[in-house]
Amino acid sequence: MTVQWILAIILLILMVSVGGKKGARSFIALFLNFGVFLFVLLFMNDPDINPIILTLIACILISCISLFYISEYNIKTLTAFISTIVTTAVLLFFILMLTEISMIQGFSEEEIEEIGAFSLFVGVDFVKIGASMILMSTIGAIIDLSISISSPMKEIHFHHPDISRKDLFRSGIALGRDILGTSTNTLFFAFFGGYMALLIWFKDLSYSLGEIVNSKVFSSEMIFIGSAGIGVALAIPITAWITAYFLMRKRDKRIEG
C-alpha cells in the first residue's frame, strides 16, 4: 500500500468521524472536483476552445459540487452559489485587465533552459490561460467565504425573524470582516508556500531583491495573490446583499401566503 493510499484512508476516517455523512460527501467531493480539474486540463490546450468559457463552466461545476452535493440544496447554499458566480464574473474583468497590462503571460527567462527543446508555437492565448489559472486558484476561497457568510446569516434570520434587511446585511458585512483577514492570509501563504522552492532557487542564482521583485514569475504570483484578495473582498458585500435579499423575500412570501 502506497503512502498516498494510507493518507487517503486516514483522511477519510477523520472526515467521517468528525463530519459524519457530510464528511463522507466532502471526501467524495474532493475527487469529483479533481475530475473537473482534469477535464479543464485536457481541453485547455485545444485552440478551438476558449479557456475563459471552459474555466467558468468548471467554476460552476465546482461550486455545485462543493455546495449542493455536500450541504444539499437549501436557501443558504443557493445564495452562496449565486454569490460565488456573481463574484467570479466581476473578478474576471479585473483579472483580464491585470494580465493584459502586466504582460505576465508566457514563459519567464528562468524557464528558457527547460523549454529550449520544445516548440514555443503552442497555439494558445496565454493571457486567457493566466486568467484561468487565477480563477481556478481563487474559486475555492470564494466558495468558502460565501457559505461562511450565508450560513450564519440564515441562523440570524431564523432566531430574529423580525430583523430588517438593512440590519441583516450589516450582520453579513460584520461576519465578512472577521473572515477577511484570515482568508487573505490563507491565500497568501498558500501561494508562497507552493513557490518556496522557486524562492530558494532565486537565492541560489544570487538574485538581488530588485531582480526578484521585477522577475516575471514573482510578479505573476503577486498578481495572483492580489486578484485572489480582490475576489475574497468582493464576495463579502455581494454575499451579504444576495443572502439578505433572498431571506427577506422568503419571509415576505410566507407572510403574504
Side-chain angles (χ1 to χ4, degrees):
M1 183 177 291
T2 62
V3 176
Q4 291 88 340
W5 279 106
I6 294 175
L7 289 175
I9 292 173
I10 294 175
L11 178 62
L12 175 60
I13 293 173
L14 289 175
M15 292 182 73
V16 173
S17 300
V18 175
K21 183 179 179 181
K22 185 172 290 187
R25 288 185 175 181
S26 299
F27 183 80
I28 297 173
L30 289 175
F31 293 93
L32 294 176
N33 286 330
F34 181 69
V36 174
F37 183 72
L38 287 180
F39 169 79
V40 173
L41 289 180
L42 289 174
F43 291 94
M44 187 71 75
N45 63 344
D46 191 335
D48 297 327
I49 298 178
N50 191 324
I52 299 298
I53 301 300
L54 181 64
T55 304
L56 289 176
I57 294 174
C59 289
I60 293 174
L61 293 175
I62 291 172
S63 300
C64 290
I65 293 171
S66 301
L67 293 171
F68 298 133
Y69 176 72
I70 295 176
S71 300
E72 299 181 348
Y73 182 86
N74 49 59
I75 188 68
K76 64 181 180 182
T77 54
L78 176 61
T79 54
F81 174 76
I82 296 174
S83 303
T84 299
I85 301 305
V86 173
T87 303
T88 302
V90 175
L91 180 61
L92 181 60
F93 290 101
F94 287 99
I95 293 174
L96 290 175
M97 181 178 62
L98 287 173
T99 51
E100 184 72 36
I101 295 174
S102 60
M103 295 186 293
I104 61 170
Q105 65 273 12
F107 301 102
S108 64
E109 60 182 11
E110 291 82 11
E111 298 168 313
I112 292 177
E113 184 177 348
E114 285 78 6
I115 66 175
F118 301 98
S119 173
L120 299 181
F121 298 100
V122 293
V124 295
D125 189 338
F126 278 99
V127 174
K128 294 179 180 179
I129 294 293
S132 298
M133 289 172 60
I134 299 175
L135 281 179
M136 292 297 290
S137 302
T138 311
I139 186 65
I142 295 176
I143 294 172
D144 181 62
L145 185 68
S146 298
I147 193 66
S148 297
I149 294 176
S150 64
S151 183
M153 286 182 67
K154 179 178 179 294
E155 292 299 318
I156 293 173
H157 179 261
F158 176 77
H159 292 287
H160 303 279
D162 296 329
I163 189 172
S164 65
R165 181 185 299 181
K166 185 176 181 180
D167 290 337
L168 186 59
F169 173 77
R170 287 178 175 176
S171 299
I173 295 294
L175 290 167
R177 287 171 180 167
D178 293 334
I179 303 171
L180 180 61
T182 55
S183 297
T184 51
N185 278 326
T186 300
L187 291 170
F188 178 84
F189 288 110
F191 278 114
F192 270 98
Y195 276 81
M196 187 70 70
L198 178 64
L199 297 177
I200 296 173
W201 188 31
F202 281 154
K203 180 179 180 297
D204 292 338
L205 293 174
S206 300
Y207 272 31
S208 65
L209 180 61
E211 288 173 326
I212 293 176
V213 172
N214 289 286
S215 66
K216 178 181 285 189
V217 177
F218 185 84
S219 298
S220 64
E221 288 307 305
M222 292 304 298
I223 291 175
F224 277 29
I225 295 171
S227 300
I230 291 173
V232 170
L234 285 173
I236 294 173
I238 291 175
T239 304
W241 188 89
I242 291 177
T243 304
Y245 171 78
F246 272 85
L247 289 175
M248 291 297 103
R249 191 179 72 168
K250 182 179 179 181
R251 185 186 67 180
D252 294 341
K253 286 184 177 180
R254 186 171 61 250
I255 293 174
E256 292 175 359

